[in-house]
Amino acid sequence: MHFFKADNMSSKDNKKKLAGTIIPRPIALVMTQSDEVINIAPFSYFNIVSNNPPLISIAIQRSNGELKDTSRNILAKKEATVHVVDERIVNDANATSATLPADESELSVSNFNLIDSKLIGTPGIKEALVRYETQLYKAVEITDASGLIVADLIILEVVGFHLAEKIHDVDTGYIIADKLKPVSRLAGADYAKLGTQFDLVRPD
């Protein structure tokens, strides 16, 4: 088995090892807004933190210590709308990762349409099958060995769930994964569909 000491490797090499082994990763498509501009961006450093309270996490890398627009907007507005990327919207979600001027919305490079939220001021993406209305729970600055802030760990509390009827079993409350058809992130430019499912019963 190969062994690599993390602090002997570059940040890029560490990323290759992490992003290539912690797979598949769900993709959060995050909508935020400044006073003038709607911002949309996909993130695959994304997961559940807790169900009570309902918390999700998104880790947003900085560029040369500078906040990304998503982090800046969340810290200012204390809210965001988060969508689960599925097969239907993955191409438009990918388009929003383009580098745009700060005063240009990713709506200009995608086919997404806005829909009002019920509990927060930030709208959502009408085409998404799942969207969460969220409020900022906690933000943690991540620093490297030199003390430079390299990422922001954003923990968001879900205050409202929007679920398309076709993916939601109202009798059980469960989500029908085959209907959602989520897309996951691998490494590099690779993505994956849901694939084969199987059941395992947890031991007592």
Side-chain angles (χ1 to χ4, degrees):
M1 180 171 281
H2 295 158
F3 173 75
F4 302 90
K5 194 167 184 291
D7 60 8
N8 287 341
M9 294 195 299
S10 68
S11 174
K12 184 176 182 179
D13 283 334
N14 280 321
K15 179 181 179 180
K16 287 180 181 178
K17 303 297 184 288
L18 289 169
T21 56
I22 301 178
I23 54 173
R25 299 186 305 281
I27 306 168
L29 188 60
V30 184
M31 178 174 285
T32 60
Q33 58 183 350
S34 63
D35 291 335
E36 301 87 13
V37 180
I38 292 288
N39 178 267
I40 311 170
F43 298 95
S44 68
Y45 293 6
F46 162 55
N47 222 311
I48 302 167
V49 174
S50 166
N51 57 276
N52 182 28
L55 302 177
I56 59 177
S57 66
I58 302 166
I60 304 174
Q61 307 306 297
R62 293 198 182 191
S63 178
N64 297 318
E66 294 295 320
L67 285 164
K68 293 286 181 68
D69 290 339
T70 299
S71 297
R72 185 181 300 106
N73 291 344
I74 290 174
L75 294 174
K77 298 290 186 179
K78 312 299 184 188
E79 64 179 35
T81 307
V82 179
H83 313 77
V84 173
V85 174
D86 61 65
E87 291 180 25
R88 295 161 53 258
I89 66 171
V90 66
N91 288 326
D92 281 306
N94 182 58
T96 67
S97 64
T99 302
L100 300 177
D103 60 353
E104 182 178 351
S105 172
E106 285 75 16
L107 290 169
S108 67
V109 296
S110 68
N111 295 303
F112 291 136
N113 293 287
L114 300 181
I115 187 168
D116 288 340
S117 293
K118 292 184 178 295
L119 301 175
I120 64 174
T122 303
I125 293 170
K126 187 176 183 180
E127 290 76 15
L129 297 177
V130 175
R131 71 180 187 274
Y132 312 119
E133 296 184 25
T134 73
Q135 295 177 335
L136 179 62
Y137 181 85
K138 183 175 290 188
V140 181
E141 294 178 341
I142 307 299
T143 58
D144 66 10
S146 72
L148 178 69
I149 301 172
V150 294
D152 295 278
L153 175 61
I154 306 292
I155 301 176
L156 298 165
E157 180 170 1
V158 178
V159 296
F161 296 83
H162 296 269
L163 306 171
E165 292 180 6
K166 73 175 185 178
I167 71 161
H168 184 223
D169 186 326
V170 293
D171 294 324
T172 65
Y174 287 116
I175 304 303
I176 306 167
D178 286 339
K179 299 289 186 180
L180 174 56
K181 296 185 177 179
V183 172
S184 61
R185 196 76 169 83
L186 303 177
D190 294 337
Y191 291 75
K193 297 180 181 180
L194 190 60
T196 303
Q197 299 177 56
F198 61 93
D199 296 332
L200 287 175
V201 178
R202 293 180 63 175
D204 294 332

